mmCIF file of all heavy atoms in Angstrom:
data_model
loop_
_atom_site.group_PDB
_atom_site.id
_atom_site.type_symbol
_atom_site.label_atom_id
_atom_site.label_comp_id
_atom_site.label_asym_id
_atom_site.label_seq_id
_atom_site.Cartn_x
_atom_site.Cartn_y
_atom_site.Cartn_z
ATOM 1 N N PRO A 1 0.825 -1.217 0.000
ATOM 2 C CA PRO A 1 0.000 0.000 0.000
ATOM 3 C C PRO A 1 0.852 1.258 0.000
ATOM 4 O O PRO A 1 1.887 1.324 0.665
ATOM 5 C CB PRO A 1 -0.804 -0.131 1.303
ATOM 6 C CG PRO A 1 -0.872 -1.608 1.560
ATOM 7 C CD PRO A 1 0.445 -2.146 1.080
ATOM 8 N N GLN A 2 0.419 2.269 -0.758
ATOM 9 C CA GLN A 2 1.171 3.508 -0.884
ATOM 10 C C GLN A 2 1.347 4.166 0.481
ATOM 11 O O GLN A 2 0.408 4.264 1.270
ATOM 12 C CB GLN A 2 0.445 4.464 -1.839
ATOM 13 C CG GLN A 2 1.267 5.692 -2.208
ATOM 14 C CD GLN A 2 0.582 6.509 -3.293
ATOM 15 O OE1 GLN A 2 -0.534 6.220 -3.680
ATOM 16 N NE2 GLN A 2 1.273 7.525 -3.789
ATOM 17 N N GLY A 3 2.558 4.600 0.746
ATOM 18 C CA GLY A 3 2.852 5.253 2.014
ATOM 19 C C GLY A 3 3.224 4.288 3.117
ATOM 20 O O GLY A 3 3.588 4.709 4.213
ATOM 21 N N SER A 4 3.153 2.982 2.851
ATOM 22 C CA SER A 4 3.480 1.986 3.869
ATOM 23 C C SER A 4 4.927 1.562 3.755
ATOM 24 O O SER A 4 5.526 1.593 2.687
ATOM 25 C CB SER A 4 2.581 0.752 3.728
ATOM 26 O OG SER A 4 1.224 1.102 3.853
ATOM 27 N N GLN A 5 5.486 1.152 4.875
ATOM 28 C CA GLN A 5 6.811 0.572 4.878
ATOM 29 C C GLN A 5 6.694 -0.906 4.497
ATOM 30 O O GLN A 5 5.684 -1.551 4.718
ATOM 31 C CB GLN A 5 7.448 0.693 6.272
ATOM 32 C CG GLN A 5 7.659 2.128 6.727
ATOM 33 C CD GLN A 5 8.708 2.857 5.901
ATOM 34 O OE1 GLN A 5 9.710 2.254 5.502
ATOM 35 N NE2 GLN A 5 8.494 4.128 5.633
ATOM 36 N N GLY A 6 7.749 -1.454 3.928
ATOM 37 C CA GLY A 6 7.720 -2.881 3.653
ATOM 38 C C GLY A 6 8.181 -3.200 2.253
ATOM 39 O O GLY A 6 8.317 -2.327 1.379
ATOM 40 N N GLN A 7 8.402 -4.483 2.039
ATOM 41 C CA GLN A 7 8.897 -4.944 0.753
ATOM 42 C C GLN A 7 8.451 -6.387 0.532
ATOM 43 O O GLN A 7 8.481 -7.213 1.442
ATOM 44 C CB GLN A 7 10.429 -4.861 0.727
ATOM 45 C CG GLN A 7 11.062 -5.150 -0.629
ATOM 46 C CD GLN A 7 12.568 -4.996 -0.605
ATOM 47 O OE1 GLN A 7 13.211 -5.247 0.414
ATOM 48 N NE2 GLN A 7 13.148 -4.573 -1.713
ATOM 49 N N LEU A 8 8.011 -6.681 -0.694
ATOM 50 C CA LEU A 8 7.645 -8.029 -1.083
ATOM 51 C C LEU A 8 8.483 -8.432 -2.293
ATOM 52 O O LEU A 8 8.483 -7.740 -3.319
ATOM 53 C CB LEU A 8 6.161 -8.123 -1.436
ATOM 54 C CG LEU A 8 5.692 -9.459 -2.043
ATOM 55 C CD1 LEU A 8 5.844 -10.584 -1.026
ATOM 56 C CD2 LEU A 8 4.260 -9.367 -2.547
ATOM 57 N N LEU A 9 9.209 -9.543 -2.159
ATOM 58 C CA LEU A 9 9.983 -10.095 -3.253
ATOM 59 C C LEU A 9 9.487 -11.507 -3.534
ATOM 60 O O LEU A 9 9.026 -12.211 -2.632
ATOM 61 C CB LEU A 9 11.480 -10.157 -2.900
ATOM 62 C CG LEU A 9 12.175 -8.855 -2.498
ATOM 63 C CD1 LEU A 9 13.619 -9.145 -2.095
ATOM 64 C CD2 LEU A 9 12.133 -7.852 -3.636
ATOM 65 N N SER A 10 9.581 -11.933 -4.784
ATOM 66 C CA SER A 10 9.208 -13.304 -5.121
ATOM 67 C C SER A 10 10.079 -13.803 -6.267
ATOM 68 O O SER A 10 10.643 -13.011 -7.028
ATOM 69 C CB SER A 10 7.726 -13.405 -5.496
ATOM 70 O OG SER A 10 7.490 -12.826 -6.762
ATOM 71 N N ARG A 11 10.176 -15.127 -6.360
ATOM 72 C CA ARG A 11 10.825 -15.745 -7.516
ATOM 73 C C ARG A 11 10.109 -17.059 -7.807
ATOM 74 O O ARG A 11 9.657 -17.760 -6.914
ATOM 75 C CB ARG A 11 12.308 -15.959 -7.292
ATOM 76 C CG ARG A 11 12.692 -16.839 -6.118
ATOM 77 C CD ARG A 11 14.203 -16.876 -5.985
ATOM 78 N NE ARG A 11 14.656 -17.620 -4.812
ATOM 79 C CZ ARG A 11 15.909 -17.655 -4.392
ATOM 80 N NH1 ARG A 11 16.839 -16.951 -5.039
ATOM 81 N NH2 ARG A 11 16.258 -18.360 -3.332
ATOM 82 N N ARG A 12 9.990 -17.349 -9.075
ATOM 83 C CA ARG A 12 9.267 -18.520 -9.534
ATOM 84 C C ARG A 12 10.137 -19.770 -9.361
ATOM 85 O O ARG A 12 11.257 -19.825 -9.844
ATOM 86 C CB ARG A 12 8.873 -18.325 -10.997
ATOM 87 C CG ARG A 12 8.043 -19.423 -11.635
ATOM 88 C CD ARG A 12 6.685 -19.603 -11.005
ATOM 89 N NE ARG A 12 5.915 -18.402 -10.848
ATOM 90 C CZ ARG A 12 5.116 -17.885 -11.801
ATOM 91 N NH1 ARG A 12 5.027 -18.480 -12.985
ATOM 92 N NH2 ARG A 12 4.408 -16.806 -11.555
ATOM 93 N N ALA A 13 9.618 -20.769 -8.668
ATOM 94 C CA ALA A 13 10.301 -22.048 -8.531
ATOM 95 C C ALA A 13 9.867 -22.994 -9.641
ATOM 96 O O ALA A 13 10.694 -23.654 -10.262
ATOM 97 C CB ALA A 13 10.030 -22.658 -7.158
ATOM 98 N N LEU A 14 8.570 -23.076 -9.880
ATOM 99 C CA LEU A 14 8.003 -23.837 -10.993
ATOM 100 C C LEU A 14 6.885 -23.006 -11.594
ATOM 101 O O LEU A 14 6.178 -22.281 -10.891
ATOM 102 C CB LEU A 14 7.425 -25.173 -10.517
ATOM 103 C CG LEU A 14 8.377 -26.245 -9.985
ATOM 104 C CD1 LEU A 14 7.578 -27.432 -9.465
ATOM 105 C CD2 LEU A 14 9.376 -26.696 -11.041
ATOM 106 N N GLY A 15 6.689 -23.136 -12.886
ATOM 107 C CA GLY A 15 5.570 -22.419 -13.440
ATOM 108 C C GLY A 15 5.803 -21.999 -14.882
ATOM 109 O O GLY A 15 6.879 -22.200 -15.442
ATOM 110 N N PRO A 16 4.733 -21.468 -15.462
ATOM 111 C CA PRO A 16 3.502 -21.048 -14.780
ATOM 112 C C PRO A 16 2.504 -22.162 -14.498
ATOM 113 O O PRO A 16 1.474 -21.906 -13.884
ATOM 114 C CB PRO A 16 2.900 -20.033 -15.772
ATOM 115 C CG PRO A 16 3.352 -20.531 -17.108
ATOM 116 C CD PRO A 16 4.732 -21.082 -16.886
ATOM 117 N N ASN A 17 2.778 -23.379 -14.961
ATOM 118 C CA ASN A 17 1.795 -24.442 -14.759
ATOM 119 C C ASN A 17 2.523 -25.757 -14.543
ATOM 120 O O ASN A 17 3.055 -26.319 -15.493
ATOM 121 C CB ASN A 17 0.876 -24.524 -15.982
ATOM 122 C CG ASN A 17 -0.205 -25.565 -15.834
ATOM 123 O OD1 ASN A 17 -0.518 -25.975 -14.731
ATOM 124 N ND2 ASN A 17 -0.741 -26.021 -16.950
ATOM 125 N N PRO A 18 2.565 -26.290 -13.313
ATOM 126 C CA PRO A 18 1.995 -25.732 -12.088
ATOM 127 C C PRO A 18 2.808 -24.542 -11.586
ATOM 128 O O PRO A 18 3.944 -24.340 -12.019
ATOM 129 C CB PRO A 18 2.059 -26.895 -11.100
ATOM 130 C CG PRO A 18 3.256 -27.664 -11.547
ATOM 131 C CD PRO A 18 3.260 -27.573 -13.046
ATOM 132 N N GLN A 19 2.222 -23.795 -10.674
ATOM 133 C CA GLN A 19 2.847 -22.578 -10.190
ATOM 134 C C GLN A 19 3.280 -22.745 -8.735
ATOM 135 O O GLN A 19 2.470 -23.004 -7.865
ATOM 136 C CB GLN A 19 1.890 -21.389 -10.306
ATOM 137 C CG GLN A 19 2.523 -20.068 -9.889
ATOM 138 C CD GLN A 19 1.599 -18.888 -10.132
ATOM 139 O OE1 GLN A 19 0.756 -18.935 -11.023
ATOM 140 N NE2 GLN A 19 1.741 -17.846 -9.341
ATOM 141 N N VAL A 20 4.584 -22.580 -8.529
ATOM 142 C CA VAL A 20 5.170 -22.608 -7.197
ATOM 143 C C VAL A 20 6.092 -21.402 -7.075
ATOM 144 O O VAL A 20 7.014 -21.238 -7.884
ATOM 145 C CB VAL A 20 5.967 -23.904 -6.944
ATOM 146 C CG1 VAL A 20 6.567 -23.894 -5.543
ATOM 147 C CG2 VAL A 20 5.085 -25.133 -7.141
ATOM 148 N N ASP A 21 5.841 -20.543 -6.101
ATOM 149 C CA ASP A 21 6.629 -19.326 -5.915
ATOM 150 C C ASP A 21 7.243 -19.312 -4.527
ATOM 151 O O ASP A 21 6.618 -19.719 -3.542
ATOM 152 C CB ASP A 21 5.749 -18.076 -6.052
ATOM 153 C CG ASP A 21 5.127 -17.936 -7.429
ATOM 154 O OD1 ASP A 21 5.804 -18.259 -8.409
ATOM 155 O OD2 ASP A 21 3.958 -17.523 -7.508
ATOM 156 N N GLU A 22 8.483 -18.814 -4.463
ATOM 157 C CA GLU A 22 9.124 -18.524 -3.179
ATOM 158 C C GLU A 22 9.003 -17.022 -2.944
ATOM 159 O O GLU A 22 9.286 -16.221 -3.834
ATOM 160 C CB GLU A 22 10.590 -18.949 -3.217
ATOM 161 C CG GLU A 22 11.312 -18.792 -1.900
ATOM 162 C CD GLU A 22 12.770 -19.219 -1.983
ATOM 163 O OE1 GLU A 22 13.201 -19.671 -3.073
ATOM 164 O OE2 GLU A 22 13.486 -19.081 -0.976
ATOM 165 N N ASN A 23 8.571 -16.640 -1.751
ATOM 166 C CA ASN A 23 8.308 -15.236 -1.461
ATOM 167 C C ASN A 23 9.058 -14.791 -0.205
ATOM 168 O O ASN A 23 9.301 -15.588 0.705
ATOM 169 C CB ASN A 23 6.807 -15.007 -1.239
ATOM 170 C CG ASN A 23 5.983 -15.386 -2.444
ATOM 171 O OD1 ASN A 23 5.743 -14.581 -3.331
ATOM 172 N ND2 ASN A 23 5.542 -16.646 -2.492
ATOM 173 N N TRP A 24 9.379 -13.491 -0.173
ATOM 174 C CA TRP A 24 10.020 -12.894 0.990
ATOM 175 C C TRP A 24 9.296 -11.591 1.302
ATOM 176 O O TRP A 24 9.211 -10.691 0.463
ATOM 177 C CB TRP A 24 11.497 -12.636 0.716
ATOM 178 C CG TRP A 24 12.234 -11.992 1.855
ATOM 179 C CD1 TRP A 24 12.733 -12.589 2.971
ATOM 180 C CD2 TRP A 24 12.533 -10.594 1.988
ATOM 181 N NE1 TRP A 24 13.330 -11.664 3.792
ATOM 182 C CE2 TRP A 24 13.222 -10.436 3.217
ATOM 183 C CE3 TRP A 24 12.278 -9.469 1.190
ATOM 184 C CZ2 TRP A 24 13.668 -9.195 3.660
ATOM 185 C CZ3 TRP A 24 12.717 -8.238 1.631
ATOM 186 C CH2 TRP A 24 13.412 -8.099 2.853
ATOM 187 N N LEU A 25 8.756 -11.499 2.531
ATOM 188 C CA LEU A 25 8.016 -10.318 2.980
ATOM 189 C C LEU A 25 8.771 -9.720 4.161
ATOM 190 O O LEU A 25 9.012 -10.402 5.165
ATOM 191 C CB LEU A 25 6.597 -10.725 3.392
ATOM 192 C CG LEU A 25 5.586 -9.617 3.686
ATOM 193 C CD1 LEU A 25 5.325 -8.761 2.447
ATOM 194 C CD2 LEU A 25 4.277 -10.223 4.193
ATOM 195 N N SER A 26 9.164 -8.442 4.032
ATOM 196 C CA SER A 26 9.977 -7.823 5.076
ATOM 197 C C SER A 26 9.155 -7.544 6.322
ATOM 198 O O SER A 26 7.929 -7.411 6.277
ATOM 199 C CB SER A 26 10.606 -6.527 4.567
ATOM 200 O OG SER A 26 9.600 -5.554 4.325
ATOM 201 N N GLU A 27 9.835 -7.476 7.464
ATOM 202 C CA GLU A 27 9.157 -7.276 8.750
ATOM 203 C C GLU A 27 8.316 -6.000 8.736
ATOM 204 O O GLU A 27 8.700 -4.977 8.178
ATOM 205 C CB GLU A 27 10.176 -7.225 9.881
ATOM 206 C CG GLU A 27 11.176 -6.085 9.795
ATOM 207 C CD GLU A 27 12.160 -6.097 10.952
ATOM 208 O OE1 GLU A 27 12.970 -7.038 11.018
ATOM 209 O OE2 GLU A 27 12.091 -5.172 11.789
ATOM 210 N N GLY A 28 7.132 -6.115 9.315
ATOM 211 C CA GLY A 28 6.222 -4.974 9.381
ATOM 212 C C GLY A 28 5.388 -4.757 8.136
ATOM 213 O O GLY A 28 4.557 -3.849 8.098
ATOM 214 N N SER A 29 5.585 -5.585 7.102
ATOM 215 C CA SER A 29 4.833 -5.415 5.859
ATOM 216 C C SER A 29 3.429 -6.016 5.992
ATOM 217 O O SER A 29 3.255 -7.108 6.542
ATOM 218 C CB SER A 29 5.555 -6.093 4.694
ATOM 219 O OG SER A 29 6.821 -5.522 4.478
ATOM 220 N N VAL A 30 2.452 -5.292 5.461
ATOM 221 C CA VAL A 30 1.067 -5.776 5.433
ATOM 222 C C VAL A 30 0.583 -5.696 3.991
ATOM 223 O O VAL A 30 0.545 -4.615 3.391
ATOM 224 C CB VAL A 30 0.148 -4.937 6.344
ATOM 225 C CG1 VAL A 30 -1.283 -5.487 6.290
ATOM 226 C CG2 VAL A 30 0.663 -4.930 7.776
ATOM 227 N N LEU A 31 0.227 -6.844 3.411
ATOM 228 C CA LEU A 31 -0.268 -6.851 2.043
ATOM 229 C C LEU A 31 -1.752 -6.530 2.017
ATOM 230 O O LEU A 31 -2.480 -6.806 2.989
ATOM 231 C CB LEU A 31 -0.027 -8.218 1.394
ATOM 232 C CG LEU A 31 1.423 -8.680 1.282
ATOM 233 C CD1 LEU A 31 1.500 -9.993 0.508
ATOM 234 C CD2 LEU A 31 2.286 -7.619 0.614
ATOM 235 N N PRO A 32 -2.246 -5.950 0.941
ATOM 236 C CA PRO A 32 -3.683 -5.695 0.828
ATOM 237 C C PRO A 32 -4.439 -7.018 0.724
ATOM 238 O O PRO A 32 -3.842 -8.069 0.479
ATOM 239 C CB PRO A 32 -3.786 -4.886 -0.465
ATOM 240 C CG PRO A 32 -2.594 -5.293 -1.259
ATOM 241 C CD PRO A 32 -1.502 -5.526 -0.266
ATOM 242 N N PRO A 33 -5.746 -7.022 0.930
ATOM 243 C CA PRO A 33 -6.522 -8.263 0.793
ATOM 244 C C PRO A 33 -6.304 -8.910 -0.572
ATOM 245 O O PRO A 33 -6.282 -8.229 -1.603
ATOM 246 C CB PRO A 33 -7.968 -7.791 0.971
ATOM 247 C CG PRO A 33 -7.849 -6.556 1.812
ATOM 248 C CD PRO A 33 -6.576 -5.892 1.365
ATOM 249 N N LEU A 34 -6.112 -10.215 -0.565
ATOM 250 C CA LEU A 34 -5.828 -10.983 -1.777
ATOM 251 C C LEU A 34 -6.903 -12.040 -1.997
ATOM 252 O O LEU A 34 -7.587 -12.455 -1.064
ATOM 253 C CB LEU A 34 -4.454 -11.662 -1.659
ATOM 254 C CG LEU A 34 -3.252 -10.761 -1.371
ATOM 255 C CD1 LEU A 34 -2.034 -11.596 -1.021
ATOM 256 C CD2 LEU A 34 -2.959 -9.863 -2.563
ATOM 257 N N GLN A 35 -7.038 -12.471 -3.240
ATOM 258 C CA GLN A 35 -8.004 -13.513 -3.579
ATOM 259 C C GLN A 35 -7.549 -14.186 -4.868
ATOM 260 O O GLN A 35 -6.973 -13.546 -5.749
ATOM 261 C CB GLN A 35 -9.404 -12.931 -3.745
ATOM 262 C CG GLN A 35 -10.496 -13.975 -3.894
ATOM 263 C CD GLN A 35 -11.861 -13.340 -4.115
ATOM 264 O OE1 GLN A 35 -12.286 -13.155 -5.251
ATOM 265 N NE2 GLN A 35 -12.545 -12.982 -3.035
ATOM 266 N N SER A 36 -7.796 -15.485 -4.980
ATOM 267 C CA SER A 36 -7.399 -16.234 -6.168
ATOM 268 C C SER A 36 -8.556 -17.104 -6.641
ATOM 269 O O SER A 36 -9.390 -17.546 -5.840
ATOM 270 C CB SER A 36 -6.177 -17.114 -5.866
ATOM 271 O OG SER A 36 -5.878 -17.960 -6.959
ATOM 272 N N GLY A 37 -8.570 -17.374 -7.942
ATOM 273 C CA GLY A 37 -9.559 -18.280 -8.504
ATOM 274 C C GLY A 37 -9.173 -19.740 -8.370
ATOM 275 O O GLY A 37 -9.913 -20.621 -8.831
#
């Protein structure tokens, strides 16, 4: 979110089909609400 502290990094392990991602979220980071199909 704009004005927020934090950082989200990701890298694809497998994909796009099937999809497996490794993610790194820095301390204090809050992501907006998410949803997937």
Side-chain angles (χ1 to χ4, degrees):
Q2 189 172 6
S4 301
Q5 297 293 323
Q7 187 178 32
L8 172 65
L9 303 176
S10 72
R11 59 184 176 189
R12 183 63 50 86
L14 293 175
N17 182 20
Q19 183 175 332
V20 180
D21 298 322
E22 185 180 358
N23 300 271
W24 179 81
L25 189 62
S26 67
E27 62 180 67
S29 298
V30 180
L31 299 185
L34 304 169
Q35 189 182 93
S36 173

